[in-house]
Amino acid sequence: MTMTVMILSKKLAKKHGSSYILPTRAPLSRAFFPRASLLLYVREVVSMRVSRALLQAAMDKIHMRGMTFMGYHGVLDAERVLGQKFVVDVTMSADMRAAGASDDIEHTVDYARAYDLVKRRVESDPVNLIEKVSADIARTLLHEFPTVEDVRVGVRKPHVAVSGVVDSLGVEIYRKRGEQF
């Protein structure tokens, strides 16, 4: 059994800006932590058995990067009238072992169909915020592809009206199957 202990020490939190993860197979005892000052607060103890197949499934990713579309989203009147380019990046997690074994598109995500769904959302029904566009894309992909467990969607505006030099401005969201959003 693998045990993961999350400890939060003032020194580590300050240095890393977060909690420190310590994987161990040793029993938790005072002997394991020779100096009590190292273990200030035990925040969470997670104990679970994880199969290799489950770990592999969690690592399978489908990437769709740099999809560029013309859209009319934005809060400014000029954005709604003239339109602008939107660049979309999508990463979906899915178990692709069956597809790898069978070479059958029915066992994976049809990339052409996913692309069409993303394109349809960006090029239709203008909204004020790209956060809404991103959320709509994530919701649609999770709904249309039951093998997808989670999705990360980034939407960028490469030509945005700001008083400075930027490559692009955008948002990135993450959604999981089963969550309310």
Side-chain angles (χ1 to χ4, degrees):
M1 181 177 291
T2 300
M3 212 174 260
T4 302
V5 179
M6 184 172 293
I7 62 171
L8 175 66
S9 77
K10 290 178 183 174
K11 191 182 248 183
L12 291 171
K14 195 175 207 178
K15 182 177 178 183
H16 299 287
S18 65
S19 28
Y20 172 72
I21 306 282
L22 176 66
T24 181
R25 290 180 186 269
L28 294 178
S29 67
R30 223 164 186 20
F32 183 76
F33 297 100
R35 292 190 298 195
S37 63
L38 287 176
L39 182 63
L40 296 179
Y41 306 102
V42 174
R43 288 189 48 203
E44 182 179 349
V45 177
V46 179
S47 175
M48 65 177 147
R49 212 176 282 266
V50 180
S51 70
R52 283 191 180 167
L54 189 60
L55 285 173
Q56 178 60 39
M59 293 191 307
D60 295 340
K61 304 288 185 194
I62 298 166
H63 300 285
M64 301 170 66
R65 298 211 170 114
M67 296 177 283
T68 305
F69 310 104
M70 186 70 175
Y72 295 87
H73 312 289
V75 293
L76 302 176
D77 290 336
E79 293 174 305
R80 295 291 186 109
V81 173
L82 300 173
Q84 62 188 310
K85 287 183 182 176
F86 291 86
V87 180
V88 181
D89 300 313
V90 172
T91 300
M92 296 175 274
S93 298
D95 184 351
M96 293 182 276
R97 288 174 292 166
S102 70
D103 198 28
D104 185 350
I105 197 165
E106 293 299 318
H107 295 138
T108 190
V109 173
D110 180 346
Y111 313 136
R113 185 165 160 239
Y115 177 90
D116 288 341
L117 292 169
V118 172
K119 179 180 180 176
R120 187 177 315 145
R121 178 58 199 106
V122 175
E123 292 182 345
S124 68
D125 300 331
V127 295
N128 290 332
L129 304 175
I130 56 177
E131 290 85 347
K132 170 77 170 137
V133 175
S134 300
D136 288 349
I137 292 169
R139 188 178 308 106
T140 300
L141 293 173
L142 286 169
H143 176 75
E144 293 295 321
F145 300 106
T147 58
V148 173
E149 290 299 318
D150 62 45
V151 63
R152 187 174 302 277
V153 178
V155 176
R156 294 178 282 133
K157 295 180 176 184
H159 307 292
V160 65
V162 294
S163 60
V165 178
V166 295
D167 180 47
S168 65
L169 294 177
V171 299
E172 182 179 274
I173 63 160
Y174 172 80
R175 300 290 185 266
K176 277 191 331 190
R177 181 169 302 290
E179 286 184 344
Q180 292 292 334
F181 53 90

